[in-house]
Amino acid sequence: SARNVPQTAKGLSPDAFGGLENVIYLAVGARVCLTNNIWKAAGLNNGAGGTVVDIVFGAQDPALPLFVVLEMDVYNGPPFLPDRPRTVAVAPL
């Protein structure tokens, strides 16, 4: 679940936030598609596909991931995991 600030944001439509849903369900192995341009030169652009490799949680808020590790279909930047060259870490917006 998202952390809504201000609290009234919880009742607004995803259209008010560029299509960002209040709750998203992820699992290791799930296919995902980026909806924003993060780093176009490396291939992390709107519409780029990938697979969830790991979901990393912190101790402060175990309900909200610190970041998600994706293995992208196409990626030419530095790898997050040295043995998997197309991996990137993506933090919640």
Side-chain angles (χ1 to χ4, degrees):
S1 261
R3 182 174 297 124
N4 295 287
V5 178
Q7 192 64 18
T8 55
K10 187 172 189 171
L12 296 176
S13 162
D15 293 333
F17 299 99
L20 185 64
E21 295 287 341
N22 200 40
V23 176
I24 183 171
Y25 298 98
L26 287 177
V28 172
R31 292 287 298 163
V32 296
C33 180
L34 298 181
T35 59
N36 285 307
N37 292 324
I38 297 172
W39 185 13
K40 289 172 70 174
L44 300 179
N45 54 302
N46 185 13
T51 303
V52 176
V53 173
D54 199 3
I55 303 170
V56 179
F57 294 90
Q60 281 188 321
D61 186 353
L64 186 65
L66 293 174
F67 58 92
V68 176
V69 181
L70 303 176
E71 186 157 34
M72 302 303 296
D73 297 338
V74 176
Y75 174 66
N76 57 16
F80 182 74
L81 301 173
D83 60 329
R84 297 178 87 165
R86 295 188 330 267
T87 54
V88 297
V90 178
L93 298 174

